[in-house]
Amino acid sequence: MDYPIGEYYCKIDAKGRLSLPSSFQEQIGKSVLNEGFVLRPALFDKCLEMFGMNDWRVMQERLGKLNLFKRENVMLVRRFNAGARLVKPDASGRLQIPKDIMEKCAIEKDVVITALTDRMQIWDKKLMEQEDASVSEEDFINMLSQKLGNENDVR
């Protein structure tokens, strides 16, 4: 699935509904919106991960290849899937975010949706700003150079 370009600043209302911006909805497309998304607490950050259904199925296929006669694999699959919830936009383009996972990720009112390569993240705006501030611009440039600066790549 192609995830939307950029960051989307949104608000969650008092009932826990996240209004998806129209530009976000246009980039995602109606078929993806109709299928819905899987939300789960992120593995490494205090935010939510939001998978399109196709990417969720791919992740489940990967997990399904683990030998479930090994205790650690059962634990891994169970814990990965434990907080997952299926959510679909309502007629007004809002996602109902379950309260328990909002609390677990310290998500309040102002949020930011951003895309990774195989999922999106929903951050509380203040927490994302703190996370982003933890890496200086110089460190970010160095990371880019180390990870993507292959000197043999002549593009």
Side-chain angles (χ1 to χ4, degrees):
M1 174 180 153
D2 290 331
Y3 288 105
I5 297 167
E7 295 177 334
Y8 293 85
Y9 293 84
C10 313
K11 294 197 181 295
I12 294 181
D13 68 16
K15 295 181 180 179
R17 297 175 299 197
L18 170 64
S19 293
L20 298 173
S22 58
S23 58
F24 176 95
Q25 292 183 47
E26 287 171 17
Q27 285 189 58
I28 290 290
K30 288 186 190 265
S31 63
V32 172
L33 289 169
N34 289 337
E35 275 194 288
F37 303 96
V38 175
L39 294 178
R40 66 171 311 284
L43 294 173
F44 306 110
D45 297 304
K46 199 166 183 104
C47 66
L48 288 173
E49 294 178 334
M50 184 164 76
F51 292 82
M53 289 307 297
N54 286 339
D55 288 325
W56 181 254
R57 288 181 194 107
V58 168
M59 182 62 71
Q60 293 302 305
E61 285 174 23
R62 290 180 67 189
L63 292 170
K65 292 177 182 175
L66 296 173
N67 180 345
L68 294 182
F69 288 99
K70 291 187 175 184
R71 182 175 174 79
E72 66 186 22
N73 292 345
V74 172
M75 171 83 67
L76 186 146
V77 172
R78 182 172 48 85
R79 292 205 40 200
F80 186 84
N81 289 334
R85 303 288 197 302
L86 175 64
V87 294
K88 292 185 176 188
D90 65 14
S92 299
R94 298 174 299 194
L95 293 178
Q96 181 70 49
I97 310 294
K99 188 174 183 169
D100 63 325
I101 61 176
M102 272 181 53
E103 289 172 355
K104 186 172 187 171
C105 297
I107 292 176
E108 294 182 11
K109 183 178 181 178
D110 295 313
V111 299
V112 181
I113 303 173
T114 188
L116 302 177
T117 55
D118 67 343
R119 68 195 80 177
M120 292 170 276
Q121 292 183 324
I122 302 173
W123 284 83
D124 180 85
K125 184 176 182 267
K126 289 177 188 170
L127 287 177
M128 185 169 178
E129 288 170 352
Q130 290 171 4
E131 180 71 15
D132 286 350
S134 72
V135 176
S136 72
E137 194 67 24
E138 184 178 343
D139 287 342
F140 177 68
I141 290 168
N142 287 335
M143 283 189 286
L144 281 173
S145 178
Q146 289 173 4
K147 303 292 183 186
L148 299 176
N150 182 349
E151 58 194 50
N152 295 324
D153 190 359
V154 291
R155 287 186 222 194

